[in-house]
Coordinates of all heavy atoms in Angstrom, one line a residue:
A479 N 0.8 -1.3 0.0 CA -0.1 -0.1 0.0 C 0.9 1.3 0.0 O 0.7 2.2 -0.7 CB -0.8 0.0 1.2
N480 N 1.9 1.3 0.8 CA 2.7 2.5 0.8 C 3.6 2.6 -0.4 O 3.8 3.8 -0.8 CB 3.8 2.2 2.0 CG 3.1 2.9 3.4 OD1 2.1 3.6 3.3 ND2 3.7 2.5 4.5
W481 N 3.8 1.4 -0.9 CA 4.7 1.6 -2.2 C 3.8 2.2 -3.4 O 4.4 2.8 -4.3 CB 5.0 0.1 -2.6 CG 6.4 -0.2 -3.1 CD1 7.0 -0.1 -4.4 CD2 7.6 -0.4 -2.2 NE1 8.3 -0.2 -4.2 CE2 8.8 -0.5 -3.0 CE3 7.6 -0.5 -0.8 CZ2 9.9 -0.7 -2.4 CZ3 8.9 -0.9 -0.3 CH2 10.1 -0.9 -1.1
V482 N 2.5 2.0 -3.3 CA 1.6 2.4 -4.3 C 1.2 3.8 -4.0 O 0.6 4.5 -4.9 CB 0.4 1.5 -4.5 CG1 -0.8 2.0 -5.4 CG2 0.8 0.0 -4.9
G483 N 1.3 4.2 -2.7 CA 0.8 5.6 -2.3 C -0.6 5.6 -1.7 O -1.1 6.7 -1.7
E484 N -1.1 4.3 -1.3 CA -2.4 4.3 -0.7 C -2.2 4.2 0.8 O -1.1 4.1 1.4 CB -3.0 3.1 -1.2 CG -3.5 3.0 -2.6 CD -4.4 3.9 -2.9 OE1 -5.3 4.3 -2.1 OE2 -4.5 4.5 -4.1
Q485 N -3.2 4.4 1.6 CA -3.2 4.4 2.9 C -3.0 2.9 3.5 O -3.7 2.0 3.1 CB -4.6 5.0 3.6 CG -4.6 5.0 5.2 CD -3.8 6.0 5.7 OE1 -3.2 7.0 5.0 NE2 -3.4 6.2 7.0
P486 N -2.0 2.7 4.4 CA -1.7 1.3 4.7 C -2.8 0.8 5.7 O -3.4 1.7 6.4 CB -0.4 1.3 5.4 CG -0.1 2.8 5.8 CD -1.0 3.5 4.9
G487 N -2.9 -0.4 6.0 CA -3.9 -1.0 6.8 C -3.5 -1.0 8.2 O -4.3 -1.5 9.1
V488 N -2.3 -0.7 8.5 CA -1.9 -0.7 10.0 C -1.3 0.6 10.2 O -0.5 1.3 9.4 CB -0.7 -1.8 10.3 CG1 0.4 -1.7 9.3 CG2 -0.3 -2.0 11.6
C489 N -1.6 1.2 11.5 CA -1.3 2.6 11.9 C 0.2 2.8 12.0 O 0.7 3.9 11.7 CB -2.1 2.9 13.1 SG -1.6 1.9 14.5
S490 N 1.0 1.8 12.3 CA 2.4 2.0 12.5 C 3.2 2.2 11.3 O 4.2 3.0 11.3 CB 3.1 0.6 13.1 OG 2.8 -0.3 12.3
M491 N 2.6 1.9 10.1 CA 3.3 2.3 8.9 C 2.7 3.5 8.2 O 3.2 3.9 7.1 CB 3.1 1.0 7.9 CG 3.4 -0.4 8.5 SD 5.0 -0.5 9.1 CE 6.0 -0.6 7.5
A492 N 1.7 4.1 8.7 CA 1.2 5.4 8.2 C 2.0 6.6 8.5 O 2.9 6.5 9.5 CB -0.2 5.6 8.8
K493 N 1.9 7.7 7.9 CA 2.7 8.9 8.1 C 2.3 9.5 9.3 O 3.2 10.1 10.1 CB 2.3 10.0 7.0 CG 3.0 9.7 5.6 CD 2.5 10.8 4.7 CE 3.3 10.5 3.3 NZ 3.1 11.5 2.3
T494 N 1.1 9.5 9.8 CA 0.7 10.1 10.9 C -0.2 9.0 11.8 O -0.8 8.0 11.1 CB -0.2 11.3 10.9 OG1 -1.4 11.1 10.1 CG2 0.6 12.4 10.1
C495 N -0.5 9.1 13.1 CA -1.3 8.2 13.8 C -2.3 9.0 14.6 O -2.6 10.0 14.3 CB -0.4 7.3 14.8 SG 0.6 8.1 15.8
G496 N -2.8 8.3 15.7 CA -3.7 9.1 16.5 C -5.2 8.9 16.1 O -6.0 9.5 16.8
H497 N -5.5 8.1 15.1 CA -6.8 7.9 14.7 C -7.4 6.8 15.5 O -8.6 6.6 15.4 CB -6.9 7.6 13.2 CG -6.4 6.3 12.8 ND1 -5.0 6.1 12.7 CD2 -7.0 5.2 12.6 CE1 -4.9 4.8 12.4 NE2 -6.0 4.1 12.3
A498 N -6.6 6.0 16.1 CA -7.1 4.9 17.0 C -7.1 5.1 18.4 O -6.0 4.7 19.0 CB -6.5 3.6 16.3
G499 N -8.1 5.4 19.0 CA -8.0 5.6 20.5 C -8.5 4.4 21.1 O -8.8 3.4 20.5
V500 N -8.6 4.4 22.4 CA -8.9 3.3 23.4 C -9.7 3.7 24.6 O -9.2 4.6 25.1 CB -7.6 2.4 23.6 CG1 -6.6 3.2 24.4 CG2 -8.1 1.1 24.5
M501 N -10.8 3.0 24.9 CA -11.5 3.4 26.1 C -11.4 2.4 27.1 O -11.7 1.0 26.7 CB -12.9 3.7 25.7 CG -13.8 4.4 26.8 SD -15.5 4.6 26.6 CE -16.2 3.0 26.6
E502 N -11.1 2.6 28.1 CA -11.1 1.7 29.3 C -12.4 1.3 29.8 O -13.3 2.0 29.6 CB -10.1 2.2 30.5 CG -8.7 1.7 30.3 CD -8.5 0.3 30.7 OE1 -9.5 -0.4 31.3 OE2 -7.5 -0.3 30.8
F503 N -12.6 0.3 30.8 CA -13.8 -0.1 31.4 C -14.6 1.0 32.0 O -15.9 0.8 32.2 CB -13.6 -1.3 32.2 CG -12.8 -0.8 33.5 CD1 -13.5 -0.6 34.7 CD2 -11.5 -0.8 33.6 CE1 -12.9 -0.3 35.9 CE2 -10.8 -0.4 34.8 CZ -11.6 -0.1 35.9
N504 N -13.9 2.0 32.6 CA -14.6 3.1 33.4 C -14.8 4.3 32.5 O -15.3 5.3 32.9 CB -13.8 3.5 34.5 CG -12.4 4.2 34.1 OD1 -11.9 4.0 32.9 ND2 -11.9 4.8 35.0
G505 N -14.6 4.3 31.2 CA -14.8 5.4 30.4 C -13.7 6.2 30.1 O -13.8 7.3 29.2
D506 N -12.5 6.1 30.6 CA -11.3 6.7 30.4 C -10.8 6.6 28.9 O -10.8 5.3 28.5 CB -10.2 6.5 31.3 CG -10.3 7.1 32.7 OD1 -11.2 7.9 32.9 OD2 -9.5 6.6 33.6
V507 N -10.4 7.7 28.2 CA -10.1 7.4 26.8 C -8.5 7.9 26.8 O -8.1 8.9 27.2 CB -11.0 8.2 25.9 CG1 -10.5 8.4 24.5 CG2 -12.3 7.8 26.0
Y508 N -7.8 7.0 26.0 CA -6.3 7.3 25.8 C -6.0 7.5 24.6 O -6.7 6.9 23.5 CB -5.4 6.2 26.4 CG -5.6 6.1 27.9 CD1 -6.7 5.2 28.6 CD2 -4.6 6.6 28.8 CE1 -6.6 5.2 29.9 CE2 -4.7 6.5 30.1 CZ -5.8 5.7 30.7 OH -5.8 5.7 32.1
T509 N -4.8 8.1 24.0 CA -4.6 8.3 22.7 C -4.4 7.0 21.8 O -4.7 7.2 20.7 CB -3.1 9.1 22.7 OG1 -2.2 8.3 23.4 CG2 -3.2 10.4 23.3
C510 N -3.9 6.0 22.4 CA -3.7 4.9 21.6 C -3.4 3.7 22.6 O -3.1 3.7 23.8 CB -2.2 5.0 20.9 SG -1.4 3.4 20.2
D511 N -3.6 2.4 22.1 CA -3.5 1.2 23.0 C -2.1 1.1 23.4 O -2.1 0.5 24.6 CB -3.9 0.0 22.1 CG -4.1 -1.4 22.9 OD1 -4.6 -1.1 24.1 OD2 -3.8 -2.3 22.5
H512 N -1.1 1.6 22.8 CA 0.2 1.4 23.4 C 0.6 2.5 24.1 O 1.8 2.8 24.5 CB 1.1 1.1 22.1 CG 1.1 -0.2 21.5 ND1 1.6 -1.5 22.1 CD2 0.4 -0.7 20.4 CE1 1.2 -2.5 21.4 NE2 0.6 -2.1 20.4
F513 N -0.3 3.5 24.4 CA 0.0 4.8 25.0 C -0.8 4.9 26.2 O -1.3 6.0 26.5 CB -0.1 5.9 24.2 CG 1.2 6.1 23.3 CD1 1.5 5.4 22.2 CD2 2.2 7.1 23.6 CE1 2.6 5.4 21.4 CE2 3.4 7.2 22.8 CZ 3.4 6.4 21.7
V514 N -1.4 3.8 26.9 CA -2.3 3.9 28.0 C -1.3 4.1 29.2 O -1.0 3.2 30.0 CB -3.0 2.5 28.2 CG1 -4.1 2.6 29.4 CG2 -3.9 2.4 26.8
F515 N -0.9 5.4 29.4 CA -0.3 5.9 30.5 C -0.9 7.2 30.9 O -1.5 7.8 30.2 CB 1.2 6.2 30.1 CG 2.0 4.9 29.7 CD1 2.0 4.5 28.4 CD2 2.8 4.2 30.5 CE1 2.7 3.3 27.9 CE2 3.5 3.0 30.2 CZ 3.4 2.6 28.9
P516 N -0.8 7.5 32.3 CA -1.5 8.7 32.8 C -1.3 9.9 31.9 O -2.2 10.7 31.7 CB -0.9 8.9 34.2 CG -0.5 7.5 34.6 CD 0.0 6.8 33.4
E517 N 0.1 10.1 31.4 CA 0.2 11.3 30.7 C -0.4 11.4 29.3 O -0.3 12.4 28.6 CB 1.8 11.6 30.6 CG 2.5 10.4 30.0 CD 3.1 9.5 31.2 OE1 2.2 8.9 31.9 OE2 4.2 9.1 31.0
F518 N -1.0 10.2 28.9 CA -1.6 10.3 27.5 C -3.1 9.9 27.6 O -3.8 9.6 26.6 CB -1.0 9.1 26.7 CG 0.5 9.3 26.3 CD1 1.5 8.7 27.0 CD2 0.9 10.3 25.3 CE1 2.9 9.0 26.7 CE2 2.2 10.6 25.0 CZ 3.1 10.0 25.7
K519 N -3.6 10.2 28.8 CA -5.2 10.2 29.0 C -5.8 11.5 28.5 O -5.4 12.5 28.8 CB -5.4 10.0 30.4 CG -6.9 9.9 30.7 CD -7.2 9.7 32.2 CE -8.6 10.1 32.6 NZ -8.8 9.9 34.1
L520 N -6.8 11.3 27.6 CA -7.5 12.4 26.9 C -8.7 12.9 27.7 O -9.0 14.0 27.5 CB -7.9 11.9 25.6 CG -6.9 11.7 24.4 CD1 -7.6 11.0 23.1 CD2 -6.1 12.9 24.2
G521 N -9.3 12.0 28.6 CA -10.3 12.4 29.3 C -11.3 11.2 29.6 O -10.8 10.1 29.6
N522 N -12.5 11.5 30.0 CA -13.4 10.4 30.2 C -14.8 10.7 29.6 O -15.2 11.8 29.4 CB -13.7 10.4 31.8 CG -14.5 9.0 32.1 OD1 -15.7 9.0 32.0 ND2 -13.9 8.1 32.7

């Protein structure tokens, strides 16, 4: 996909990220599944 200039199917290979958030069981939302740390919490 990147070779052709299309959007790749996995975020790690894309130019930018941040489109895939994650919500915990209590409603807390974080920037990304691999960034579930207090400093990357967006809110509830």
Side-chain angles (χ1 to χ4, degrees):
N480 275 341
W481 229 267
V482 176
E484 296 291 335
Q485 184 70 13
V488 57
C489 55
S490 62
M491 312 300 283
K493 283 185 180 178
T494 59
C495 58
H497 72 279
V500 58
M501 190 183 79
E502 266 285 0
F503 69 95
N504 68 339
D506 284 348
V507 176
Y508 293 86
T509 56
C510 166
D511 191 39
H512 287 282
F513 284 75
V514 177
F515 295 91
E517 55 266 51
F518 293 100
K519 179 180 164 184
L520 295 171
N522 188 285

